[in-house]
C-alpha cells in the first residue's frame, strides 16, 4: 500500500514538473513604442462581457469607437471620437462623454498574431483582435 502511494505521488510529481516545463510562458506587457506599433492606424475589436466593441486608433492620436452595431445606444452615444496616447507603458484614452470624460489606461499583452489581452486600470479585463 505504501509503495503504491509513493508511485502515485512520484507520478503526480513528474506530471506537475512536466506540465510546468511545457506550459506556455506568460506574455510580457507591451511597452511604449510597442504599444504604438501594435495599434496605431489599426482597428481593434475589444471583447468583454459577451460583446465586441470596435475602436479605430488613428495615427494622429484620435480614437473612434462605434457601438451602434452592438446596441449600446441605449446606454450612451453610439459613436464618439476621443484621444489616445501612451503613458507609463499603458495605452490611455479619453472620450468627451463616454465614461463621463474619464481617462482610462490599459496594460496590453500580445497573446498571438493580431490578438491581445488587456486590463483596464480599474480592473476590467478582456481580449481584443487587431486588424489593419
Amino acid at each position: 500500500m505504501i509503495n503504491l502511494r509513493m508511485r502515485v505521488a512520484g507520478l503526480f510529481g513528474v506530471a506537475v514538473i512536466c506540465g510546468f516545463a511545457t506550459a506556455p510562458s506568460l506574455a510580457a506587457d507591451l511597452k511604449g513604442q510597442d504599444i504604438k506599433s501594435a495599434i496605431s492606424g489599426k482597428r481593434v475589436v475589444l471583447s468583454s462581457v459577451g460583446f465586441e466593441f470596435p475602436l479605430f486608433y488613428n495615427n494622429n492620436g484620435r480614437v473612434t469607437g462605434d457601438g451602434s452595431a452592438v446596441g449600446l445606444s441605449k446606454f450612451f452615444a453610439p459613436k464618439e471620437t476621443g484621444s489616445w496616447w501612451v503613458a507609463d507603458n499603458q495605452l490611455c484614452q479619453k472620450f468627451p462623454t463616454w465614461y463621463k470624460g474619464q481617462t482610462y489606461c490599459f496594460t496590453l499583452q500580445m497573446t498571438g498574431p493580431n490578438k491581445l489581452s488587456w486590463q483596464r486600470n480599474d480592473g476590467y479585463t478582456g481580449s481584443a483582435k487587431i486588424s489593419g
Side-chain angles (χ1 to χ4, degrees), residues 27-131:
D29 292 347
L30 291 177
K31 308 283 184 206
Q33 188 58 42
D34 293 332
I35 294 171
K36 289 179 183 177
S37 296
I39 67 161
S40 187
K42 298 186 176 105
R43 182 174 182 254
V44 177
V45 180
L46 301 177
S47 298
S48 183
V49 196
F51 69 90
E52 293 188 332
F53 190 82
L55 295 163
F56 184 76
Y57 290 89
N58 290 295
N59 294 326
N60 64 2
R62 306 295 289 160
V63 56
T64 300
D66 188 353
S68 55
V70 292
L72 296 178
S73 60
K74 56 186 158 194
F75 302 109
F76 53 81
K79 186 174 183 180
E80 189 162 271
T81 298
S83 8
W84 73 271
W85 64 96
V86 175
D88 298 324
N89 293 314
Q90 294 183 326
L91 166 65
C92 298
Q93 59 191 32
K94 181 177 181 173
F95 291 91
T97 64
W98 287 358
Y99 309 108
K100 298 180 182 178
Q102 185 174 344
T103 297
Y104 283 101
C105 295
F106 301 79
T107 301
L108 306 176
Q109 293 182 336
M110 294 305 296
T111 57
N114 300 314
K115 293 182 181 179
L116 56 86
S117 65
W118 55 266
Q119 180 171 3
R120 200 165 73 180
N121 58 332
D122 61 359
Y124 282 103
T125 61
S127 60
K129 295 177 279 187
I130 303 169
S131 59

